[in-house]
Amino acid sequence: MARSGFAYIAALGIAAAALAACGDSSTEDASSTTTTTGAGGTGGTGGMDGAGGSTGATGGGGAGTAAPEPPVLEMVMPMDGVLHIEWSTPASCDEIEGERKDPMNEYAVAFTVAGTKTSRMDAEAFEDLEYTYRLRCKVGEIYSDYSNEMSGNPTEEE
């Protein structure tokens, strides 16, 4: 009976190691960072009196935190010599981060607003240039993917 108890404990250690190997999932790309983590698994117990055993195991497991849905840009329109940006937010965001680029510069953060906002006047976009915008939602420390892109020139009235 004692040996079967040790075999059971060893089998639990192997099962825990297998579960731990399947539980960690992380993704990262240049546009956003989303990490999914969980608590580590439980290790096995070594055998006694030469009965053998398994080594302890740790690893990821459990459910993680999913990234929020990105906002959807709906309009970039010239208004009073600057650009007016409007969007909808399918997720509950803590903040909305807006990035802007122009023909001479890459994307850079142009504004950060409360997650309840759905529009913004970009007073820094006033030159006769084509400005392109993209947005992302932030919940805690997790960012969504970027939204669609939209462009506008503040000096061109439509």
Side-chain angles (χ1 to χ4, degrees):
M1 190 70 145
R3 288 237 191 259
S4 64
F6 290 124
Y8 177 73
I9 292 172
L12 285 177
I14 292 169
L19 287 173
C22 295
D24 186 35
S25 171
S26 298
T27 59
E28 183 173 4
D29 66 30
S31 65
S32 68
T33 302
T34 304
T35 305
T36 306
T37 59
T42 305
T45 305
M48 297 173 59
D49 299 326
S54 65
T55 58
T58 59
T65 304
E69 290 292 316
V72 176
L73 271 168
E74 295 179 353
M75 179 176 58
V76 175
M77 182 174 85
M79 190 179 288
D80 297 325
V82 297
L83 288 172
H84 176 76
I85 303 112
E86 287 188 14
W87 61 89
S88 61
T89 335
S92 177
C93 303
D94 295 337
E95 294 179 343
I96 300 290
E97 182 180 270
E99 291 188 352
R100 174 186 63 229
K101 74 174 182 175
D102 60 50
M104 297 166 289
N105 297 295
E106 293 299 315
Y107 275 111
V109 175
F111 60 87
T112 301
V113 296
T116 56
K117 296 281 189 176
T118 58
S119 66
R120 167 79 179 201
M121 294 292 282
D122 188 359
E124 293 179 22
F126 60 87
E127 293 184 44
D128 184 15
L129 296 171
E130 184 82 5
Y131 294 94
T132 303
Y133 294 87
R134 66 183 183 186
L135 307 172
R136 63 184 182 168
C137 171
K138 182 180 180 189
V139 177
E141 296 301 315
I142 300 176
Y143 287 92
S144 71
D145 289 335
Y146 285 103
S147 69
N148 57 312
E149 296 179 342
M150 291 190 90
S151 301
N153 183 326
T155 63
E156 293 179 3
E157 292 296 324
E158 294 182 19

